[in-house]
Amino acid sequence: MIIAENVAKEFTLHNQGGTVLRVMEGASLKVAPGECVALTGASGAGKSTLMRMIWGNYRTDAGHIRVAGTEVSSAEPRQIIALRRTTLGYVSQFLRVLPRVPTLRVVAEPLLALGTPEAEAEARAAELLSRLRIGESLWGLSPTTFSGGEQQRVNIARGFVHPYPALLLDEPTASLDAANRETVMCLIEEAKARGGAILGIFHDEGARARLCDRLVDVTGFRPGVAA
Ligand SMILES: Nc1ncnc2c1ncn2[C@@H]1O[C@H](COP(=O)(O)OP(=O)(O)OP(=O)(O)O)[C@@H](O)[C@H]1O
């Protein structure tokens, strides 16, 4: 479902004398439907960079990335947008939303974009917000003023509202209390059980041990380090 083959990436720092940082080469991994794979490696090893290339925000310099048959590494922007709408979800660490859009709408939006009737989309959004303990009194408000943990849970609700076949998770349990952490782990287990292919960064070792079928250490993809 998610396939990376021999991916390489370097950054050119144009405002720092054109210094070239080679951060990755020969990066290969596969995530099958129903599988959860964790990216590991020390800070700066390249976990986020690989996730951003799979998400289509960073260009790959060499190699191929395919998600559900779409060649992300050479896709046109409209293909990336279509992939994100139907197939590839991403729960980042930060919520980015338009101001003044109510929380219920923020969470329902991925379903509305797929043509789901409004009542059905909002019912599903409400169910997830309730599971994640976001009180109903907040649903009509924009999440921009919410606490860090509340914003993270709105982000998670939005990422799980549609059963994406492939899902990228960036520290989904970070800074959550025990009850919400458990809810998020259940959501991830349910996504696996319905055949979702999940690739994530989990600094939470307990969550990683419970959820992940395999670990991929990106340190092996550093230029000059044998995989
Ligand atoms: N946009 C960018 N421009 C220049 N260098 C970048 C950029 N993004 C990442 N890098 C560099 O690439 C390397 C890998 O960074 P990355 O954020 O992928 O690491 P990470 O493993 O996710 O780290 P952490 O666990 O601290 O989040 C770092 O040396 C970083 O400075």
Side-chain angles (χ1 to χ4, degrees), residues 4-227:
E5 279 170 355
N6 274 319
V7 170
K9 181 71 186 163
E10 62 182 31
F11 293 104
T12 305
L13 307 178
H14 296 287
N15 59 354
Q16 296 189 61
T19 301
V20 174
L21 275 183
R22 291 172 61 222
V23 296
M24 196 169 286
E25 68 183 23
S28 299
L29 61 80
K30 277 187 187 163
V31 189
E35 211 181 20
C36 179
V37 173
L39 293 179
T40 63
S43 177
K47 303 177 293 295
S48 308
T49 299
L50 187 51
M51 293 267 274
R52 288 180 186 140
M53 286 193 284
I54 295 168
W55 180 237
N57 270 11
Y58 281 180
R59 204 168 44 81
T60 50
D61 294 325
H64 298 277
I65 291 176
R66 272 192 299 282
V67 177
T70 295
E71 184 81 33
V72 174
S73 29
S74 60
E76 299 287 331
R78 63 181 169 76
Q79 290 174 288
I80 300 276
I81 290 167
L83 182 74
R84 291 177 183 180
R85 189 183 305 128
T86 59
T87 308
L88 179 64
Y90 180 32
V91 178
S92 69
Q93 282 182 273
F94 304 102
L95 179 69
R96 289 183 196 86
V97 292
L98 295 172
R100 294 191 295 276
V101 178
T103 293
L104 189 66
R105 194 78 185 187
V106 165
V107 176
E109 198 274 329
L111 292 178
L112 296 171
L114 284 166
T116 306
E118 192 168 324
E120 192 183 324
E122 292 197 344
R124 171 84 180 125
E127 179 195 324
L128 271 169
L129 286 167
S130 299
R131 272 188 82 179
L132 288 157
R133 298 172 186 79
I134 301 288
E136 203 170 336
S137 58
L138 297 179
W139 297 358
L141 307 175
S142 160
T144 45
T145 57
F146 288 5
S147 76
E150 284 169 341
Q151 289 195 2
Q152 191 185 354
R153 281 177 282 140
V154 171
N155 215 13
I156 288 166
R158 192 180 149 91
F160 282 86
V161 75
H162 171 59
Y164 295 101
L167 196 53
L168 305 175
L169 303 175
D170 190 354
E171 294 210 54
T173 56
S175 69
L176 293 182
D177 59 67
N180 283 309
R181 174 176 175 269
E182 177 61 29
T183 302
V184 171
M185 288 199 284
C186 290
L187 286 171
I188 296 170
E189 284 171 338
E190 290 165 21
K192 285 179 69 178
R194 62 159 171 76
I198 299 172
L199 181 67
I201 300 171
F202 299 87
H203 287 140
D204 175 344
E205 283 182 26
R208 194 161 69 196
R210 173 165 149 189
L211 299 168
C212 297
D213 303 289
R214 281 184 298 120
L215 310 181
V216 172
D217 187 344
V218 301
T219 313
F221 307 145
R222 293 297 281 189
V225 177

